[in-house]
Amino acid sequence: MTERQETSFPYPRGCPLHPPREYASLRAEQPISKVTLASGRTAWLLTRHEHIRQLLASPDVSSNLAHPGYPLHFDVPVEVMEQMRPVLLAMDPPVHTAQRKMLISEFTAKRVSQLRPRVQEIVDECVSALLAGEGPVDLVGALALPVPSLVICELLGVPYADRAFFQDRTEKLVSVDADPQERNDAHQELHAYFDRLVTAQEENPGDDLLGRLVVKNRETGTFSHAELVGMANVLLVGGHETTANMISLGVLALLENPDQRAKLQADPALAPQAVDELLRYFSIADQVTSRVVTADIEIGGVRIRAGEGVIGLSASGNHDEAVFPDPDRLDFERGGKQHLAFGHGIHQCIGQNLAKLELEVVFNTLVARVPGLKLAAPVSELHFKDSMGVYGLHKLPVVC
């Protein structure tokens, strides 16, 4: 394989509706290459679908953020890293296996399907408010953020009045442009908030996900208090931020692709396929597939040594021409369930059934109730955000 000069990462998006153009050239010319991150650490970059799946299925990789070879994008203070350790996403078996088993029953397809009527009520209320507004309305603030925030708050037992607090701190936490002290303060404030929340549940468990988890934990002792705090943090932040981004980007895609929007209007049963295609198309959490190698492995003819970091770019894998012909074209009839938007392997997103349900309800409700929805500004004037591969919109002005 031809050696490629090490480059800086991440790459900026040229077109807001497509991954960075470098991904396609890397897939074709150098699917496995070395990059330097803003933290000064180096990592291998994987851009092909098959290589990313191989990485995520390997038993010889770790998700431990505290490992010195983990491909962190910026340096994290030791005290913050200590608090980040008891987070499910950063754990390895057997601890990860035990903790995931405690949670999985809350997110099965059957359990989540029972939430559909309530999710529909929440979406209908937001859409009614949207229709009642005059002039251009920001769809992010009116729909994309409230829907997943309300759903996850109710599910976990978190006061919805606190949503502005954790949304603000989350944005600071993931922003690559944030001042290091500002990022550290945001993490400390979130940690303190979730510590109070879990303590209250331990004293008086509610009939909600956190309450049930606390009760089960008394029997099994699977989680420490600190681990319950980390779990609450991951579920609340992960349960609203990425879904909110996907709602706003998905609506933008519907408006920019009227032929696909018409298909969904004509056949609401197409919604599950439409959601999968939109997830593939945007792949908003591009770099959650980062890992550090614990024993030498070989991927695509390249030997990656123990201790080296690897980033599997899901947005690139989801636009791999070998798996998804004409990948830059949105096609609700593609049937591309093998996308990597939720990851792959033992760390595949535990909340994917809930996210899909929310997206199906939102998109079907919008195309049915707001057939005249259109952008109030050209795409070139929209404000996109891209922090460590988590992609979304700050605002989406629309006219109903």
Side-chain angles (χ1 to χ4, degrees):
M1 179 174 286
T2 304
E3 187 70 21
R4 173 182 284 270
Q5 184 177 358
E6 197 171 290
T7 59
S8 296
F9 184 82
Y11 307 121
R13 294 188 183 228
C15 171
L17 297 180
H18 298 292
R21 61 175 61 92
E22 286 86 352
Y23 289 8
S25 60
L26 284 172
R27 284 195 304 273
E29 302 167 14
Q30 191 79 13
I32 303 175
S33 60
K34 269 283 187 76
V35 293
T36 300
L37 309 176
S39 62
R41 299 187 183 192
T42 60
W44 292 96
L45 206 63
L46 308 186
T47 56
R48 287 183 181 170
H49 189 277
E50 64 173 312
H51 296 158
I52 298 168
R53 283 176 61 93
Q54 184 180 342
L55 169 75
L56 300 180
S58 173
D60 297 318
V61 299
S62 170
S63 297
N64 183 4
L65 302 178
H67 191 290
Y70 189 89
L72 289 171
H73 286 268
F74 47 79
D75 291 325
V76 180
V78 174
E79 63 273 19
V80 174
M81 188 62 72
E82 288 295 326
Q83 292 179 353
M84 291 174 69
R85 287 184 183 181
V87 174
L88 187 66
L89 295 175
M91 287 181 172
D92 299 320
V95 176
H96 169 267
T97 308
Q99 293 196 2
R100 187 179 175 96
K101 183 179 179 181
M102 286 277 285
L103 278 170
I104 197 69
S105 63
E106 297 284 348
F107 294 98
T108 63
K110 182 178 180 180
R111 185 68 174 264
V112 167
S113 68
Q114 297 170 358
L115 300 174
R116 184 177 288 271
R118 178 55 184 145
V119 172
Q120 185 66 65
E121 288 179 359
I122 290 172
V123 172
D124 280 335
E125 290 169 3
C126 289
V127 171
S128 292
L130 190 73
L131 289 168
E134 295 183 3
V137 180
D138 173 27
L139 189 131
V140 173
L143 182 73
L145 278 172
V147 168
S149 293
L150 271 167
V151 171
I152 198 65
C153 283
E154 288 192 11
L155 186 65
L156 291 178
V158 174
Y160 183 63
D162 295 341
R163 69 193 184 284
F165 166 82
F166 61 76
Q167 284 168 0
D168 174 73
R169 272 54 173 193
T170 300
E171 284 201 10
K172 291 176 181 176
L173 195 63
V174 302
S175 175
V176 294
D177 299 320
D179 176 84
Q181 186 59 50
E182 186 179 43
R183 186 184 296 116
N184 184 42
D185 290 344
H187 181 86
Q188 298 294 341
E189 290 170 358
L190 278 171
H191 181 81
Y193 174 84
F194 291 117
D195 184 63
R196 293 192 299 271
L197 179 68
V198 170
T199 298
Q201 288 278 13
E202 288 172 331
E203 294 173 352
N204 186 25
D207 184 20
D208 46 56
L209 192 154
L210 275 182
R212 290 191 293 272
L213 187 59
V214 165
V215 171
K216 284 195 289 186
N217 193 55
R218 288 174 179 171
E219 302 171 358
T220 65
T222 302
F223 292 89
S224 66
H225 173 81
E227 288 168 340
L228 282 172
V229 171
M231 181 66 67
N233 192 334
V234 167
L235 291 174
L236 187 58
V237 174
H240 86 274
E241 178 72 14
T242 51
T243 305
N245 290 339
M246 196 62 235
I247 289 173
S248 57
L249 288 170
V251 171
L252 177 60
L254 287 172
L255 298 179
E256 289 293 288
N257 295 268
D259 59 326
Q260 300 304 305
R261 181 181 178 182
K263 287 181 181 179
L264 187 58
Q265 284 176 318
D267 182 12
L270 189 62
Q273 288 178 242
V275 166
D276 272 319
E277 174 65 352
L278 287 165
L279 287 163
R280 179 203 69 82
Y281 189 74
F282 286 111
S283 310
I284 58 171
D286 191 17
Q287 298 161 41
V288 294
T289 48
S290 299
R291 299 288 187 271
V292 60
V293 176
T294 56
D296 289 8
I297 59 175
E298 184 173 303
I299 297 178
V302 175
R303 180 162 293 277
I304 301 176
R305 306 291 181 180
E308 293 185 316
V310 189
I311 301 173
L313 294 173
S314 60
S316 179
N318 285 338
H319 285 254
D320 188 338
E321 300 82 353
V323 181
F324 308 102
D326 196 7
D328 292 340
R329 178 174 60 86
L330 189 69
D331 181 5
F332 288 169
E333 297 177 329
R334 184 186 296 274
K337 282 191 173 183
Q338 67 270 46
H339 66 74
L340 299 167
F342 290 121
H344 177 67
I346 63 171
H347 283 285
Q348 191 171 37
C349 177
I350 198 170
Q352 61 180 288
N353 290 323
L354 179 61
K356 286 183 177 182
L357 170 63
E358 293 177 48
L359 294 171
E360 288 174 22
V361 174
V362 166
F363 297 144
N364 266 343
T365 303
L366 272 181
V367 298
R369 293 189 58 192
V370 199
L373 189 71
K374 61 182 179 181
L375 288 175
V379 174
S380 60
E381 295 181 9
L382 298 180
H383 300 286
F384 291 85
K385 55 183 177 181
D386 194 353
S387 300
M388 296 185 293
V390 179
Y391 197 58
L393 278 160
H394 286 291
K395 291 185 178 182
L396 183 61
V398 296
V399 176
C400 298

